[in-house]
Amino acid sequence: MTNDEAGNGAVVAEREVTEPLSFAAKTGFRNARHTHAAGLMLLIAGALLAALVGTWLVWFSAYMQRTMAEEEIRGACRRVMPETADRCFDTVIIQRGGARR
């Protein structure tokens, strides 16, 4: 609707009647490309962060499991053979395939 079509002497600006422009049309195609690149960088950074956190959680759970198993073995050796508990512990760890201290 333009000023000529308004009728009754009403003044209507063309800006009020037209459809609003999309974000890509307002900012230009070049900025839309930058927006996609920034989104891709955020996706890559998020994936890298998730991988690092996941790796740390796996390592930490393996460490905790090994520590608890060693404490359990030490306790059992102290109960069964208190005078040679360290030797018992080393023997059990070696038999289970672990490294010697």
Side-chain angles (χ1 to χ4, degrees):
M1 180 189 256
T2 63
N3 287 341
D4 295 336
E5 299 171 345
N8 296 334
V11 177
V12 178
E14 287 187 37
R15 283 286 238 185
E16 294 174 354
V17 177
T18 59
E19 292 288 323
L21 296 174
S22 68
F23 178 76
K26 287 180 184 176
T27 59
F29 183 70
R30 186 168 192 216
N31 288 340
R33 258 195 258 168
H34 288 291
T35 302
H36 293 301
L40 183 62
M41 292 300 291
L42 284 175
L43 180 68
I44 291 171
L48 183 62
L49 182 63
L52 287 174
V53 169
T55 301
W56 182 82
L57 285 173
V58 168
W59 174 85
F60 185 68
S61 66
Y63 171 78
M64 291 300 295
Q65 184 177 6
R66 185 181 67 227
T67 302
M68 288 182 183
E70 287 178 358
E71 289 174 5
E72 187 178 323
I73 293 168
R74 280 191 194 278
C77 285
R78 285 189 188 116
R79 281 190 303 276
V80 176
M81 304 169 54
E83 63 281 346
T84 58
D86 287 337
R87 185 173 177 212
C88 172
F89 175 75
D90 289 340
T91 303
V92 171
I93 294 296
I94 291 169
Q95 287 176 348
R96 288 188 173 193
R100 192 173 198 174
R101 298 189 281 155

